[in-house]
Amino acid sequence: LIAALVLLALAAIAWYVVRLRAAGPVSYRFAAVEQGDIQQTVSSTGALSAVKTVQVGTQVSGKVVAIFADFNDRVTQGQLVARIDPTLQEQAVRDAQAQLGKAQAQLAQAKAEYDRNVPLANQKFISASEFGTVQVNLSVAQAGVKSAQVTLERARQNLSYTNIYAPISGVVVERNVDAGQTVAASLSAPQLFLIAQDLSQMQILAKVDESDISSIKQGQEVQFT
């Protein structure tokens, strides 16, 4: 076994020598030693975006019937950029107006009933319990009118939400809806547009690996493509 190992080692040495001779003479390259900085580069990927962007959404559900802004359009604050079908909200306003009229009629009836029972109560022609019921009915009718007025205001406000206006002046960088598309404002307002206020001020949001983050210091110069 030892003899076999020795022969194997000699064969390997002989093969290595043959390879060196076949490769030719060894060449060297010379250079002057200079002092300099060693650069350590940390590479990461990210997204370039404006410093301030605003999402334009909708607070009511419905079908988008018109779009007045597109990609790269410059819009001003208060400019109409989209419209949602107002049919349902208009119906809600009319229904709230009808409910308000009904509540006002009930209030008028309760007020007349109260005025008619005041002298009767003063002259003790009706019991205090009966007059108390009349007073309660009047208070309920007054509260019903206030509730109907709030409902009408809410319906009118929802109707105004069918017109979507630009909240700031800037450039449209995203448009996420088309005319004819239905949007649903349930738990969160769907995003219709994304407006960048100033494209001359940009920022990069990049993700740096945990092993490289220790090399990142405030004030370092960066390059990006």
Side-chain angles (χ1 to χ4, degrees):
L1 180 59
I2 295 176
L5 292 176
V6 172
L7 290 175
L8 183 60
L10 292 175
I13 293 174
W15 176 81
Y16 181 71
V17 172
V18 171
R19 287 292 303 271
L20 288 178
R21 291 180 178 178
V26 179
S27 60
Y28 298 94
R29 184 174 59 182
F30 298 93
V33 177
E34 296 179 356
Q35 289 185 345
D37 297 331
I38 298 177
Q39 186 179 27
Q40 178 184 3
T41 303
V42 174
S43 299
S44 62
T45 58
L48 181 67
S49 61
V51 174
K52 183 178 181 180
T53 57
V54 176
Q55 297 179 356
V56 182
T58 173
Q59 293 181 264
V60 295
S61 303
K63 183 174 68 174
V64 179
V65 294
I67 296 291
F68 302 106
D70 204 349
F71 298 100
N72 299 324
D73 285 351
R74 182 170 294 277
V75 296
T76 57
Q77 184 177 3
Q79 177 180 338
L80 182 64
V81 294
R83 178 177 289 122
I84 295 177
D85 186 6
T87 302
L88 295 179
Q89 281 70 32
E90 290 174 349
Q91 293 175 350
V93 169
R94 291 194 295 270
D95 181 67
Q97 289 174 340
Q99 294 298 325
L100 177 59
K102 179 181 178 181
Q104 289 174 341
Q106 292 175 344
L107 175 60
Q109 182 182 5
K111 183 66 168 57
E113 185 71 15
Y114 175 80
D115 293 339
R116 185 168 59 252
N117 282 272
V118 167
L120 298 178
N122 292 335
Q123 297 176 13
K124 307 298 182 180
F125 288 154
I126 60 174
S127 65
S129 176
E130 292 175 336
F131 185 67
T133 302
V134 173
Q135 289 178 316
V136 170
N137 291 337
L138 177 61
S139 299
V140 170
Q142 291 173 340
V145 170
K146 292 181 180 179
S147 177
Q149 290 174 342
V150 172
T151 302
L152 178 59
E153 293 174 0
R154 184 186 303 112
R156 287 173 174 170
Q157 187 65 46
N158 288 334
L159 178 60
S160 68
Y161 287 152
T162 58
N163 292 324
I164 311 299
Y165 299 96
I168 62 171
S169 300
V171 178
V172 178
V173 295
E174 287 186 19
R175 178 175 63 83
N176 302 316
V177 293
D178 295 310
Q181 183 176 345
T182 300
V183 294
S186 54
L187 297 179
S188 60
Q191 178 178 315
L192 306 183
F193 301 92
L194 183 65
I195 300 178
Q197 186 178 36
D198 185 8
L199 291 180
S200 64
Q201 299 292 329
M202 305 292 289
Q203 66 180 0
I204 299 176
L205 300 179
K207 296 182 179 180
V208 181
D209 292 339
E210 185 178 359
S211 59
D212 295 328
I213 193 63
S214 60
S215 302
I216 305 299
K217 305 297 181 183
Q218 186 175 359
Q220 284 181 339
E221 293 184 357
V222 297
Q223 298 177 345
F224 70 96
T225 58

